Amino acid sequence: MIAQATNPFGERNKILETVAAWVLGLLWLLPLIYAIWTAFHPAEFATRFSLTAPLTLQNFVNAWNAAPFPRYFLNTFLLVTMILIAQMVLATMAAYAFSRYRFRGDNIMFMLVLMQLMVMPDILIVENYNTMNLLGLRDTILSIGLPYFASAFGIFLLRQTFKTVPRELDEAATVEGASAMQVLWKVYVPLAKPIYLAFGLVSISTHWNNFLWPLIVTNSVESRPLTVGLQVFSSTDQGVDWSIITSATLMTSAPLLLAFLLFQRQFVQSFMRAGIR
């Protein structure tokens, strides 16, 4: 028997990659660890570590009472729900048209849709602000979400998924007397449920954390989302109390962290099944 030669360089590279992954993971976790430590301990332990430091929930109580966080949570929930529903409907209809119908200029129109992926939303802030002002929608929840109703990423993702659906299913449903809309909602949409889940999680996390556009287009508590409310709360006018600030930060990010922990496996599997190509 001839012994197979080992590659010491390959093993060394694997060890280096593992160590680098752990180091990057710890660096990513350090701010979160500090926020958790500071939020659950009195203010005097914000800058020093002690195993005997007492635990407290008073920081969360103080943060909750210091700003209208219930209104901020409601505004953010309404915002992400409105955007998600609009994106799902518009992306589904557009993806179905691009994947199953042929019409003059369809490739050009699809390329125009994809061009949206190459344009940073921040570039359009001035024009979007002028548009919202002309429509009389400035300082409303609708003005925050309206520029994001049509998602090029969602259209592309669903189009690629719909193109993998066998034509035989489409033809069989048509023979049974189903209309185009019935074929869409009873054949295509059920087969794309993992993709809808993945896109929904991406959309919710993106617009839950969106900051710059809501900061510009809103100026009142009635329409201000969590990100802007947290920035106003942590400004110098409120004083720099890191225990309360980190408590508020954990409160605003807790729903996303909880959703990630609950749906991380479904999220990864959904993108693995997406078949982006």
Side-chain angles (χ1 to χ4, degrees), residues 16-112:
L16 291 176
E17 290 176 357
T18 303
V19 172
W22 276 101
V23 171
L24 290 176
L26 290 175
L27 290 176
W28 182 85
L29 283 175
L30 280 178
L32 180 61
I33 295 174
Y34 173 76
I36 294 174
W37 168 266
T38 308
F40 285 95
H41 291 86
E44 56 267 23
F45 294 95
T47 56
R48 62 189 180 94
F49 176 77
S50 175
L51 293 176
T52 60
L55 296 175
T56 180
L57 295 177
Q58 189 61 39
N59 295 325
F60 292 93
V61 176
N62 295 338
W64 186 264
N65 295 329
F69 280 106
R71 181 67 190 191
Y72 294 157
F73 272 102
L74 177 62
N75 293 343
T76 305
F77 175 77
L78 295 176
L79 174 65
V80 297
T81 303
M82 174 184 64
I83 293 177
L84 181 61
I85 293 175
Q87 287 182 338
M88 289 291 190
V89 173
L90 294 177
T92 298
M93 302 295 289
Y96 181 64
F98 283 126
S99 63
R100 284 313 190 216
Y101 292 100
R102 289 294 167 265
F103 48 89
R104 181 178 299 178
D106 56 344
N107 291 329
I108 296 177
M109 292 184 63
F110 185 64
M111 291 300 296
L112 291 175

Side-chain angles (χ1 to χ4, degrees), residues 226-263:
L226 275 171
T227 51
V228 181
L230 183 62
Q231 187 273 336
V232 174
F233 170 76
S234 59
S235 62
T236 54
D237 295 338
Q238 301 289 338
V240 182
D241 189 335
W242 289 111
S243 298
I244 297 180
I245 292 175
T246 53
S247 300
T249 303
L250 287 181
M251 283 194 305
T252 57
S253 59
L256 290 183
L257 291 175
L258 182 60
F260 174 77
L261 293 176
L262 293 177
F263 297 104

Side-chain angles (χ1 to χ4, degrees), residues 88-255:
M88 289 291 190
V89 173
L90 294 177
T92 298
M93 302 295 289
Y96 181 64
F98 283 126
S99 63
R100 284 313 190 216
Y101 292 100
R102 289 294 167 265
F103 48 89
R104 181 178 299 178
D106 56 344
N107 291 329
I108 296 177
M109 292 184 63
F110 185 64
M111 291 300 296
L112 291 175
V113 171
L114 292 182
M115 285 181 63
Q116 181 184 343
L117 296 174
M118 308 175 192
V119 179
M120 294 295 294
D122 298 345
I123 299 177
L124 304 175
I125 282 181
V126 175
E127 291 299 326
N128 287 338
Y129 184 86
N130 290 333
T131 302
M132 295 302 114
N133 195 34
L134 290 174
L135 294 175
L137 297 177
R138 188 168 54 85
D139 196 25
T140 62
I141 298 178
L142 180 60
S143 66
I144 306 175
L146 191 59
Y148 301 98
F149 279 5
S151 171
F153 175 69
I155 294 173
F156 171 74
L157 194 65
L158 289 174
R159 174 185 178 271
Q160 298 304 105
T161 304
F162 288 167
K163 288 177 72 70
T164 63
V165 177
R167 283 281 187 176
E168 290 76 10
L169 296 178
D170 195 325
E171 296 171 354
T174 303
V175 170
E176 292 294 329
S179 63
M181 290 298 298
Q182 289 175 329
V183 172
L184 171 62
W185 296 113
K186 295 183 179 180
V187 177
Y188 287 87
V189 171
L191 293 176
K193 283 183 179 180
I195 310 306
Y196 282 108
L197 174 61
F199 176 71
L201 293 175
V202 171
S203 176
I204 290 174
S205 62
T206 299
H207 298 290
W208 187 283
N209 294 318
N210 193 13
F211 172 72
L212 184 58
W213 171 242
L215 175 65
I216 293 175
V217 79
T218 62
N219 53 23
S220 66
V221 174
E222 286 71 20
S223 58
R224 190 176 291 156
L226 275 171
T227 51
V228 181
L230 183 62
Q231 187 273 336
V232 174
F233 170 76
S234 59
S235 62
T236 54
D237 295 338
Q238 301 289 338
V240 182
D241 189 335
W242 289 111
S243 298
I244 297 180
I245 292 175
T246 53
S247 300
T249 303
L250 287 181
M251 283 194 305
T252 57
S253 59

Side-chain angles (χ1 to χ4, degrees), residues 6-24:
T6 60
N7 185 0
F9 296 101
E11 295 179 357
R12 186 180 303 173
N13 291 337
K14 186 176 181 180
I15 294 175
L16 291 176
E17 290 176 357
T18 303
V19 172
W22 276 101
V23 171
L24 290 176

